[in-house]
Amino acid sequence: MIAYKDPIPPVRRFFDDRTDYHVDANTFQSNIQEGLLVRSAGGVGFSRIQMIYRSPDEAAAMAGLIRAMVLLEREAASINELRGAWCEREGNPIPSKDDETGSFEAWVYMRLEHIEA
């Protein structure tokens, strides 16, 4: 049996290595005006992750999320530390606004298949 592995640290490093985004794992740092958040959102036999892109500009929030979403779908197999990784979105990106910061956000759930799920 293969042991479960938290996919969030490897996914965070994947984005750190391939983008110029500020990337947080599980919660945004309190002072972040713009950046990407990746966090666990469940899944059995696979990992569901939620990605949220935050920006002061509504269009930039959606564009940043779409860029991250497409990158992860195309290159999931190259995530270091996860074996057999494959990824697809589970719906279309959703725009929103964070009440605490007033920043615009866009978010999506992604289905990440990997042996360690």
Side-chain angles (χ1 to χ4, degrees), residues 8 21 26 31 47 50-52 73 78 90 99 104 109:
I8 299 305
Y21 293 170
N26 297 315
N31 61 342
S47 295
Q50 183 182 32
M51 298 194 315
I52 304 170
E73 284 181 322
S78 63
E90 291 191 326
D99 292 333
F104 293 97
Y109 288 109

Side-chain angles (χ1 to χ4, degrees), residues 22-84:
H22 170 88
V23 184
D24 282 328
N26 297 315
T27 58
F28 275 117
Q29 295 175 29
S30 61
N31 61 342
I32 296 305
Q33 294 287 323
E34 186 159 354
L36 178 68
L37 173 71
V38 292
R39 65 180 172 192
S40 293
V44 176
F46 67 96
S47 295
R48 179 176 289 116
I49 61 171
Q50 183 182 32
M51 298 194 315
I52 304 170
Y53 195 91
R54 177 181 286 176
S55 175
D57 178 73
E58 187 172 16
M62 186 61 75
L65 178 67
I66 290 171
R67 181 176 168 226
M69 181 182 73
V70 169
L71 180 64
L72 186 58
E73 284 181 322
R74 286 185 183 163
E75 297 185 27
S78 63
I79 297 173
N80 293 329
E81 304 171 53
L82 295 180
R83 294 181 288 166

